[in-house]
Amino acid sequence: MIRATVGSVEERDEEQEDEGDEELRDGGVPFFVNRAGLPVEEETWERMWRHVARTHPGGEAVGREIRGAADLPKIPIPSVPTYQPTTSVPQRLEAIQKYIRDLQYNHTGTQFFEIKKSRPLTALMDIAKEMTREALPIKCLEAVILGIYLTNNMPGVERFPLSFKTQFSGNHFHHIVLGVHSGGRFGALGMSRRDDLMFKPLEFRTLGDLVREFEGAYRGYWHTLRKVKIGQYVSHDLHSVEQIEWKHSILDVDKLTKEELRKELERHARDMRLKIGKPDHPSPTKDRRNSVGSPLRTQGSPMRRVGRIERRPSGEKKPPADMNGYQIRV
């Protein structure tokens, strides 16, 4: 349970880091994005600790205790998973999810890697490579990019963004995972504070079954599912300059019956299958790849311790956040 930060709150998507949005909010609780790359600049570093002091129940004492400690345990660096040729797809996906989980969820209030959803796939894959080098804690959107990168060498596995908007105690919350499809079954990879809101094994017969599984998990935390956003299959070409289609379908759960929702999800699954085999945009030249890549790193970063379905706009007004209530952050 976390108490919402006092102040004027504007609802923001957790996975929507648009240019110029310095402070983002998840269910009324703010977090920052490190936009200056790695290593973390002094200003960003100090801002992160000020944010921790404001939001952590222990206040400034927590920061002083950690920053002043000389004998903090060394954090193990997870190894990127490798496989034998005989390793099955479900086993590979489980290994990828374990790697993502081993990086740990980022509770600092500062997202270390800036993910601009409008960037070409090749630039986002450069950021994913940087995630594997730095091995820092991540949030849900970073986990989606990392999941795409780690499954690129699995041509039999199709990947697509799957995001949820839920409501609890007057606030809206946003979460995103990487949907996967292989062998006629659906599953998911991702990162969350909750174990049942990230990985789903490759065992769901339909996309609707997968969405209902997440909806049931949300009900366990007293969250009501309001919207489901589903993207198209993502290219396996590491050097593709096409953008990820994040929201091919936006389904307003409040305005659809269960049967209508099922049919819309089936329609979207058919749309995704139709895209398979269509040529991607040509890969860029070497010079072009250099120009669209992620910002250059300098020296090492700090230690780890520290046929389109019609979109359905809801038309609902965003309610003000309840600043006096406790929020369950999912």
Side-chain angles (χ1 to χ4, degrees):
M1 307 283 285
I2 281 190
R3 192 179 188 89
T5 303
V6 176
S8 175
V9 173
E10 177 185 0
E11 176 202 343
R12 303 305 303 268
D13 287 12
E14 176 165 344
E15 74 273 22
Q16 190 174 28
E17 285 86 12
D18 293 328
E19 294 85 342
D21 295 333
E22 184 61 35
E23 183 182 70
L24 305 177
R25 297 181 185 271
D26 173 22
V29 179
F31 71 91
F32 295 94
V33 176
N34 169 34
R35 302 188 185 280
L38 296 173
V40 177
E41 289 184 346
E42 183 70 16
E43 180 181 351
T44 303
W45 187 248
E46 294 301 326
R47 183 187 65 182
M48 181 187 76
W49 285 107
R50 290 195 299 269
H51 178 79
V52 170
R54 290 196 306 268
T55 58
H56 195 281
E60 294 182 0
V62 174
R64 288 197 300 268
E65 180 181 356
I66 296 175
R67 302 181 77 178
D71 57 349
L72 289 174
K74 185 176 180 180
I75 304 299
I77 304 299
S79 298
V80 177
T82 57
Y83 324 100
Q84 297 295 326
T86 55
T87 305
S88 68
V89 168
Q91 290 174 325
R92 294 184 184 209
L93 294 177
E94 287 181 11
I96 291 171
Q97 180 62 47
K98 182 181 183 302
Y99 173 76
I100 292 174
R101 186 194 296 265
D102 287 346
L103 291 177
Q104 301 183 22
Y105 189 88
N106 182 355
H107 292 280
T108 66
T110 296
Q111 181 174 301
F112 294 121
F113 302 95
E114 183 183 15
I115 308 296
K116 295 182 180 179
K117 297 167 89 172
S118 61
R119 301 191 80 181
L121 182 61
T122 180
L124 295 176
M125 294 301 94
D126 285 344
I127 296 173
K129 293 177 188 176
E130 191 171 27
M131 291 185 209
T132 63
R133 289 194 298 264
E134 302 296 341
L136 293 168
I138 58 177
K139 294 171 73 67
C140 62
L141 180 58
E142 294 161 297
V144 168
I145 300 303
L146 186 56
I148 292 172
Y149 174 71
L150 295 174
T151 54
N152 260 330
N153 62 347
M154 301 167 63
V157 177
E158 301 299 339
R159 302 78 43 82
F160 58 95
L162 176 61
S163 60
F164 306 95
K165 176 183 179 181
T166 61
Q167 186 174 6
F168 171 77
S169 187
N171 279 339
H172 287 96
F173 296 78
H174 300 258
H175 181 50
I176 186 168
V177 297
L178 181 66
V180 293
H181 179 255
S182 179
R185 292 292 185 268
F186 288 90
L189 299 169
M191 175 64 86
S192 172
R193 303 174 187 88
R194 307 291 184 175
D195 288 342
D196 50 358
L197 288 175
M198 42 184 177
F199 177 67
K200 300 296 178 184
L202 200 64
E203 61 183 29
F204 297 90
R205 188 176 61 84
T206 68
L207 180 56
D209 291 341
L210 177 62
V211 170
R212 281 191 293 273
E213 171 69 16
F214 276 102
E215 183 178 17
Y218 272 118
R219 280 199 302 268
Y221 303 111
W222 302 282
H223 278 237
T224 302
L225 183 62
R226 296 302 186 193
K227 284 187 179 180
V228 179
K229 302 175 184 178
I230 321 164
Q232 281 280 23
Y233 284 157
V234 179
S235 169
H236 284 266
D237 180 4
L238 278 171
H239 304 299
S240 172
V241 295
E242 68 176 354
Q243 295 177 350
I244 295 175
E245 191 169 357
W246 298 92
K247 295 180 286 189
H248 183 77
S249 301
I250 302 178
L251 306 181
D252 193 327
V253 178
D254 291 334
K255 296 181 180 180
L256 296 173
T257 66
K258 290 184 178 180
E259 180 63 17
E260 289 172 336
L261 179 60
R262 182 188 66 80
K263 289 182 178 180
E264 291 286 7
L265 291 170
E266 285 184 356
R267 183 184 305 170
H268 182 88
R270 288 195 300 270
D271 284 352
M272 289 194 296
R273 288 196 298 269
L274 289 174
K275 186 185 178 185
I276 298 178
K278 290 185 178 180
D280 298 326
H281 296 294
S283 298
T285 63
K286 182 177 180 181
D287 291 339
R288 172 59 177 162
R289 286 200 299 270
N290 289 337
S291 69
V292 298
S294 60
L296 293 177
R297 296 170 62 249
T298 53
Q299 49 193 5
S301 65
M303 291 188 297
R304 286 191 74 241
R305 65 178 183 186
V306 274
R308 188 178 182 92
I309 297 176
E310 180 181 357
R311 295 185 178 179
R312 304 173 182 272
S314 63
E316 58 182 333
K317 294 184 178 179
K318 300 174 182 177
D322 179 6
M323 291 295 98
N324 297 317
Y326 286 89
Q327 308 297 325
I328 296 180
R329 300 188 67 211
V330 176

